[in-house]
Amino acid sequence: MVTSFNTIFIPATPRPCGSLQKQKTFLPLPNVSNSRQFLINYFPNLSTIRMSEFAAHVVTFLWSVPDSTLHILERIPMHSTSLLKDMFLKITLNLELSTITIVLALKYMYRLRTSLNASTLDPNHLTELFVSCVLLATKYHLDVNIRNSEWSGKVGITAKDLSGMERWLLRQLGYDLGISYEDFMTWINWLSCSWNQPSTDGRDHNIYLEKLRMFNLQITSQHLHRAA
């Protein structure tokens, strides 16, 4: 059965990596705030900043592996460009995303990757694709009424381009945004197996926050210039 995430029943304790068979105790997830407590079971020391950096690693991995190995579950190397991590963090903080929204957006990124041939992949548009997946996850699973124009200034993408990317992504996903319970749990288990791997980039998160401040000043300056 495919449902909105808000009506999915989730296990009380995490399952071991690769095992989806013996868990029989379930707890309802009535709202987004409870989802964070659930995710902490799978992602220790969870924070929005760390999840955004993890998302950059996951997307880099998906866009770098060949088609022949894409469906083979393996641990994700914690390696991505500093630019991609910076952009993902700016998006996450500017939009005040919940960690569950990022997890669901990554699932859409995976579905998108499996629909594309490796020869057609363009790593230069990963940020835009991530924003589009976040937009769909927020609208569909969290049932939030969002105007693309409201997000435009926060992510540095015009409302027209954002709407165009949203339509393209929907077509690529076959307009199927539902995530079954089994599919969701498989996804959570796969991600959690790589959560505690050491990153190849040991920068202080304060650097991210300072870059975010500069990014916000740049966006504000651009809007003032257009208004003038």
Side-chain angles (χ1 to χ4, degrees):
M1 180 177 67
V2 177
T3 71
S4 166
F5 182 78
N6 286 336
T7 59
I8 286 177
F9 284 86
I10 59 176
T13 56
R15 297 178 173 121
C17 292
S19 172
L20 295 174
Q21 301 299 322
K22 297 182 179 181
Q23 188 68 36
K24 294 184 179 180
T25 303
F26 298 91
L27 292 175
L29 180 63
N31 53 52
V32 174
S33 60
N34 285 350
S35 69
R36 186 179 187 281
Q37 186 59 45
F38 161 67
L39 289 178
I40 288 176
N41 291 324
Y42 290 82
F43 305 98
N45 301 315
L46 179 65
S47 70
T48 302
I49 291 178
R50 188 177 175 193
M51 181 58 80
S52 68
E53 181 176 345
F54 182 71
H57 296 315
V58 174
V59 171
T60 298
F61 171 76
L62 293 176
W63 256 251
S64 62
V65 295
D67 293 340
S68 59
T69 61
L70 186 60
H71 296 281
I72 301 176
L73 297 183
E74 57 182 88
R75 293 185 184 274
I76 304 165
M78 296 295 99
H79 177 71
S80 59
T81 66
S82 298
L83 177 60
L84 190 63
K85 284 188 284 189
D86 289 344
M87 291 305 301
F88 275 28
L89 182 72
K90 292 167 185 173
I91 291 166
T92 298
L93 296 182
N94 279 346
L95 296 178
E96 299 181 354
L97 299 179
S98 64
T99 49
I100 190 63
T101 305
I102 301 173
V103 170
L104 293 169
L106 288 176
K107 178 60 181 176
Y108 287 152
M109 290 290 286
Y110 175 80
R111 284 186 179 178
L112 175 62
R113 173 63 184 86
T114 58
S115 74
L116 301 173
N117 187 282
S119 62
T120 65
L121 299 181
D122 185 354
N124 295 318
H125 297 291
L126 291 180
T127 300
E128 290 85 351
L129 292 176
F130 179 67
V131 170
S132 301
C133 289
V134 165
L135 185 66
L136 290 183
T138 303
K139 288 183 176 181
Y140 182 80
H141 290 280
L142 304 185
D143 196 23
V144 176
N145 185 20
I146 298 173
R147 292 185 178 181
N148 291 358
S149 58
E150 296 176 358
W151 276 30
S152 174
K154 296 180 179 180
V155 298
I157 302 173
T158 67
K160 180 180 178 181
D161 288 344
L162 198 56
S163 298
M165 291 188 299
E166 182 183 8
R167 291 191 296 270
W168 177 84
L169 181 58
L170 281 169
R171 290 194 296 270
Q172 287 295 125
L173 298 178
Y175 296 90
D176 180 13
L177 302 181
I179 300 177
S180 69
Y181 167 80
E182 293 79 7
D183 195 18
F184 177 76
M185 290 311 307
T186 299
W187 182 244
I188 287 291
N189 273 277
W190 181 55
L191 292 179
S192 65
C193 288
S194 300
W195 176 252
N196 282 323
Q197 290 197 105
S199 173
T200 57
D201 186 341
R203 296 178 302 165
D204 191 325
H205 285 157
N206 288 329
I207 298 177
Y208 283 117
L209 298 178
E210 177 59 23
K211 288 187 176 182
L212 175 65
R213 188 183 70 82
M214 297 303 297
F215 176 78
N216 287 334
L217 290 175
Q218 180 182 359
I219 292 297
T220 301
S221 177
Q222 290 175 352
H223 278 279
L224 291 175
H225 179 72
R226 291 171 185 170

